[in-house]
Structure formats: structure tokens, C-alpha cells
Amino acid sequence: MSGKSPFRQKQRYWEEKLWDLLTPLSLEDLLIMAWAIEAFRTGRDQAALKHAALPGAPADHAIGGRLFVPPWSVDAVLNEKLVLGGAGGQPVRRLDLKAWGSIAKLLGTYNALANVESVKDIEDNKIVAALPRLFWPQYDWQIGYDNMFRLARAWHVYVTPEAREVFEAKYDIELDLFMKVVLAIYAGTEDSPGVSYARIEGVGASRAEIASVSRVIGSNFEGQMRYSVELRDSDLPRVFRRSVIKERPLFEYLARDGSKGFFVPSRECLLLRITDGLYYDIVSDPDARRVSGDKFEDLCFQLLEHFAGPENYVERERETSYGKSADLFLLDRNGEAGITVECKIRRIPQRVLTSPDPWRDCADAFDDIVKGIVQIWRTQAELYAISRPEMVGVVLQYDPWTVMGNAFIQEIFVKAGDKADRLGIPKARRIPVALVGYAEFESCLRWYEIDAIREGIRLSVEEKYHGYQLSGIIEGFAAKSGPKDTFDYSEIAGRAVPWWGELA
């Protein structure tokens, strides 16, 4: 687009508005503002009100509340400031970030810019294909950070002996000590946006070890600014660019008395970095990655076994003429029906999340999901060629690729069908398969009977249900029977890190 296009004119207008507001603000003030908004939203209102005059009650600031401030917008504004630094045009009067009106003005200006940019890289006839990615800035906040489910799941999968070895070789600090220090910082910033080194030392870490943690997931203000410039990709709309706050959530400060500490603008992002963020520390090592895949399969087995009930049982993979079968089987004891499960730990890569047309641009990234579908069909053809129980399948994913694939689930199954044709898998053995994220499947298991889940999977392949979550399909015809007893994630966390019980 030329610099004189209407799009570019609008973009430039709002860029200048935002830069004029950001330029005179100190980074420290913005970090404190971000912490206060999050603290208020998460129920720590008395602590938050010491730093910002936020109206209403915490519930008003939650998702769906009348005063909701999107945390992904706060994150994006911080990243804008990091890139901008102290440069800019002629600033307007400096905003008072303790005042709600100033906060709303700043974030409203950013949102106007983000709205203008939201279609900058989308072709006119590709709006529908791009719609799923609009969900992704919110994804982590929608799932939630401060919960045992996310922490235990990630630690069970990523905190293995192999991962510990990789992490220490990469960063010269033990993984367990790293997590203890980060949890101490997390606890220390519950009532204040900053925490001193002296307080963190309480977990038994030396100052040198605390500094090592900072080198992994943080830096001083200048270092964070340099890193943010390195991450910048001007070809993407701002809302889809990588976030310094998520990747390096610690901002080291030096107080006037010479003492050191950290500002933490988002405790939720800090927790994310030591849960799902551990993936990025070990993914380059094939042994650690393979073991994590095995651990995810083991977690799925435990989940199914917990919710199976007395009328069902769970089996692991079997040997077949072509090698290993699909990973898990949830079978009824009468031998009449079941669910074949293939577990997929592959994370959704950044290029998929940010593409305006993921299927066109990143079709190879979906191969793992296609392989999962075909593996279930191949297992069906091998194991149930004679006996004919009513079977359905689930590709159970660590990340919910189903959400990314809503606009092109049909293409995924076409590709799976082509591969099945080449392998000679009879069409009669290509049972219904649902593509389901782990959290979504756990919710279904907790609230619905296994028979209802099987029927929901069977319906999921119908075109009218493409784009539906499995629970949304099931609730259309079945009444909830739960909640059943919650799966014990505290026990899972304790097995992954034996010291967890000392802190819990």
C-alpha cells in the first residue's frame, strides 16, 4: 500500500496519537499501571488501589464485565513503549496513570490503532479464513494462568530428567532452582508491583543465582528495550507481534540505595513462563521433546482412567502388523463401544497463530493433526476388522488446534482422506474423529457421561458442527451429569517437583 492510501493515513494518525501519549510517560509508571489493572481484575483490589484509582468492583473488570480492560491490550501498550523508548513527536500533557480516565484514554487510543491495523495483511476475500486468529491474543488469559491445572500439566510434561539436563546446560542454572526463584518473585509481587532481591533470597537462592534467573527471563529497562526492537516485525498487525512481557516478564531495577529488585507488570505472564513457556527451553533437544511427548500421553491416560467409571476401562497402545497402534483406548466393559485416542503434544507455532490464512501459508504445520486422524483410522482397520464395536476417535491435543482450524477443518479431513487412500485404509474403517484440546476434553469428561461424549464425537464430523467445541455439540442434546470428582492436579505437580508440597 502507498503511504497516501486511506489505510496508511488512518494508521499514521493513530500511531502519532499513541506515541504522543506514550512519549512523556516513564516505563516504570506503565509497569505499575499494568500490575495494578491485573491485580484489580484478579481480586487484589486493596493492593491495586494504592497505585491506581480504578472504579467499580473486581468483577466489573473481569472478561465480560462493564469496565473490562483487555490484558492483551495492556501487554501491547507496554511493548509499544519498549520499542518507542523516549523518542517521539511533540508530546501532549503527561497522563496521570493513577487516574482511570487517563488509563482509558491511553488504552482506547491503542485499541483504535489496533482496529485499523487488524485487516492490514488480510486479502479482501480471505476475511473468514483469518477470523480464528483474532481469538489468539486472548487465548492464554481465557484458559487462565493462576490455576493448578495449568501448572501441574506443564510441569508433568516438561519437568523431566532430560529437560532438567537441557535447561541447566543451556542457562547454567538448575531448573528446580529457577522455578523456586520465579515462584518467590510471584509471591513477592502479590501486593506490590516490585520485589527486592533480599526478599527472594528466602527460598535459599544466592544473589548470583537470582541474577541468573533474570538473564533467562528478564533484563534491566535498557535491555528489555533492545530486545523489544529485535522482536519487532512491522509486517504484522501489532496485536499479533511477539511480546516481551510474555517472553521476559522480569524488569530489573536498581534502587537509589543500590539495592536490586524486579518489577513484574504481569504475574500471569510470569506464571506462564514457568509453565507452558518451558516448552521453548527444551524443544530443540529431541530426547527431551520425545520424553515430554511420552509424559503427555501418560497424563492423558491418567485423566481417562480417572473419569472412566466402573463401566469403562482404559488401555494403552497395542502392537499391530504396522507397528504401534493409536495411543489410548477408552472401552466399555461389554465390548460394545469405545473411544480411540491419539495424543499430540505439538504446540501451535507462531507462524500459524499470526497468519491471515494459516491453511494456505502453513499447511505443513497441520501434518501432525492429519497423521493423528489417519493413525486412528489405521488402528480401526487393523484391530476391529472382525469385531465391530461402535468406535469413535479423538485427536487429543496439548494445544487446541481445533480452534485454529475452525475455518478449514474440512481441508484437514480431505488431506487425511488422501493419505488414507494411499495407505489403502477402507472407507468403512474411517470412523468419526474429533479434534479436541486437552482442557476441553477434560471438561467434557467431568460434566457428561461417556455415551454422550461418544455421540458428540460422532456428530462433530458433520459439516454443520465444524467450528463447534465438543462441549458445545454435546450440550445440544445431553444434560450435564456432573461435575464428577475433580482430577487431582496437586498430586501431579507434587510428583513432578517433590518440593512443591513445601510451597503449596
Side-chain angles (χ1 to χ4, degrees), residues 120-384:
K120 69 176 287 188
D121 60 344
I122 301 176
E123 298 170 31
D124 290 342
N125 61 343
K126 294 291 184 179
I127 297 293
V128 174
L131 285 177
R133 78 170 184 173
L134 300 179
F135 172 73
W136 281 96
Q138 335 175 11
Y139 169 65
D140 287 313
W141 280 277
Q142 291 275 13
I143 283 188
Y145 292 83
D146 190 4
N147 58 57
M148 182 57 64
F149 153 74
R150 191 161 195 167
L151 184 147
R153 180 188 71 164
W155 286 6
H156 179 83
V157 169
Y158 296 128
V159 183
T160 66
E162 292 78 6
R164 285 179 165 94
E165 186 176 335
V166 170
F167 192 93
E168 185 170 0
K170 190 173 184 178
Y171 298 124
D172 196 27
I173 184 173
E174 292 181 358
L175 177 55
D176 287 76
L177 180 59
F178 168 80
M179 292 194 297
K180 281 185 178 181
V181 170
V182 173
L183 286 171
I185 296 170
Y186 181 80
T189 52
E190 181 174 6
D191 296 319
S192 172
V195 60
S196 67
Y197 268 45
R199 184 169 179 182
I200 303 166
E201 288 173 323
V203 298
S206 68
R207 296 210 164 199
E209 289 167 333
I210 296 171
S212 294
V213 171
S214 179
R215 285 193 292 272
V216 176
I217 60 168
S219 185
N220 58 26
F221 287 10
E222 291 76 16
Q224 296 286 60
M225 289 178 181
R226 287 194 299 271
Y227 188 63
S228 67
V229 173
E230 292 172 12
L231 292 187
R232 202 65 159 181
D233 184 345
S234 59
D235 293 331
L236 283 174
R238 282 168 169 78
V239 73
F240 300 114
R241 293 172 184 171
R242 287 168 61 186
S243 166
V244 177
I245 315 304
K246 284 187 175 180
E247 295 184 23
R248 291 170 41 160
L250 298 182
F251 288 71
E252 189 175 62
Y253 67 78
L254 182 66
R256 290 180 180 177
D257 62 3
S259 62
K260 288 185 176 181
F262 298 108
F263 280 120
V264 177
S266 173
R267 298 170 80 240
E268 293 177 332
C269 286
L270 184 63
L271 198 60
L272 176 66
R273 187 57 186 81
I274 63 164
T275 52
D276 288 350
L278 294 174
Y279 164 84
Y280 300 100
D281 299 316
I282 68 170
V283 67
S284 60
D285 185 271
D287 289 336
R289 190 171 64 245
R290 175 185 54 77
V291 171
S292 288
D294 293 341
K295 294 290 284 184
F296 180 56
E297 181 182 325
D298 177 66
L299 180 64
C300 295
F301 177 87
Q302 293 182 56
L303 181 76
L304 290 174
E305 202 169 46
H306 176 81
F307 287 112
E311 66 278 8
N312 300 286
Y313 66 100
V314 186
E315 286 188 1
R316 294 187 185 270
E317 63 188 5
R318 307 175 192 174
E319 291 291 341
T320 72
S321 63
Y322 65 84
K324 297 289 187 181
S325 70
D327 295 322
L328 302 171
F329 301 89
L330 176 60
L331 303 163
D332 77 355
R333 296 191 182 276
N334 296 323
E336 296 177 351
I339 303 174
T340 302
V341 179
E342 180 71 3
C343 305
K344 292 296 183 183
I345 195 175
R346 183 183 175 105
R347 305 294 303 279
I348 305 180
Q350 183 77 9
R351 65 193 182 95
V352 172
L353 301 183
T354 58
S355 170
D357 191 346
W359 183 255
R360 180 195 64 190
D361 299 337
C362 318
D364 62 301
F366 295 90
D367 282 348
D368 206 36
I369 306 303
V370 171
K371 289 176 183 176
I373 296 169
V374 174
Q375 173 72 320
I376 290 171
W377 289 345
R378 201 174 189 185
T379 294
Q380 179 74 12
E382 174 82 8
L383 300 182
Y384 300 111

Side-chain angles (χ1 to χ4, degrees), residues 3-74:
K4 296 182 179 179
S5 70
F7 166 81
R8 182 55 187 152
Q9 289 174 359
K10 289 181 181 179
Q11 182 189 37
R12 189 64 186 174
Y13 172 81
W14 286 111
E15 279 179 339
E16 291 176 351
K17 287 280 188 182
L18 181 63
W19 294 344
D20 282 346
L21 295 176
L22 282 174
T23 298
L25 296 174
S26 72
L27 180 57
E28 181 176 330
D29 285 348
L30 282 161
L31 296 174
I32 293 171
M33 177 202 76
W35 178 90
I37 292 172
E38 182 179 280
F40 201 86
R41 187 182 72 248
T42 54
R44 305 191 321 277
D45 44 314
Q46 293 306 308
L49 291 173
K50 295 176 183 177
H51 301 279
L54 299 166
D60 295 321
H61 291 258
I63 292 179
R66 64 185 181 89
L67 298 172
F68 174 60
V69 173
W72 48 95
S73 293
V74 178

Side-chain angles (χ1 to χ4, degrees), residues 423-435:
L423 292 171
I425 300 173
K427 286 185 169 58
R429 300 292 182 268
R430 300 179 194 179
I431 59 176
V433 176
L435 313 178

Side-chain angles (χ1 to χ4, degrees), residues 83-101:
V83 172
L84 181 62
Q90 295 298 318
V92 298
R93 184 171 61 88
R94 178 171 175 161
L95 293 174
D96 175 9
L97 291 184
K98 292 186 176 181
W100 173 248

Side-chain angles (χ1 to χ4, degrees), residues 382-495:
E382 174 82 8
L383 300 182
Y384 300 111
I386 299 175
S387 64
R388 298 292 179 86
E390 291 292 325
M391 299 295 293
V392 292
V394 167
V395 178
L396 187 53
Q397 309 145 63
Y398 191 98
D399 270 358
W401 284 75
T402 305
V403 176
M404 269 318 292
N406 285 351
F408 38 77
I409 285 178
Q410 185 172 353
E411 285 90 341
I412 291 174
F413 277 95
V414 167
K415 193 172 182 180
D418 292 342
K419 187 166 188 174
D421 288 341
R422 293 193 297 272
L423 292 171
I425 300 173
K427 286 185 169 58
R429 300 292 182 268
R430 300 179 194 179
I431 59 176
V433 176
L435 313 178
V436 189
Y438 179 93
E440 166 75 1
F441 199 58
E442 178 181 5
S443 176
C444 292
L445 289 168
R446 188 170 184 229
W447 287 99
Y448 295 102
E449 297 298 333
I450 302 298
D451 288 347
I453 294 174
R454 281 199 304 267
E455 177 63 12
I457 294 168
R458 188 187 67 78
L459 291 172
S460 71
V461 298
E462 296 183 8
E463 188 173 352
K464 68 178 180 178
Y465 289 116
H466 287 177
Y468 280 65
Q469 287 196 307
L470 182 58
S471 59
I473 297 172
I474 297 170
E475 71 182 12
F477 65 84
K480 288 184 176 180
S481 59
K484 301 165 192 171
D485 290 340
T486 305
F487 186 51
D488 189 356
Y489 281 104
S490 61
E491 182 182 344
I492 295 287
R495 290 204 298 268

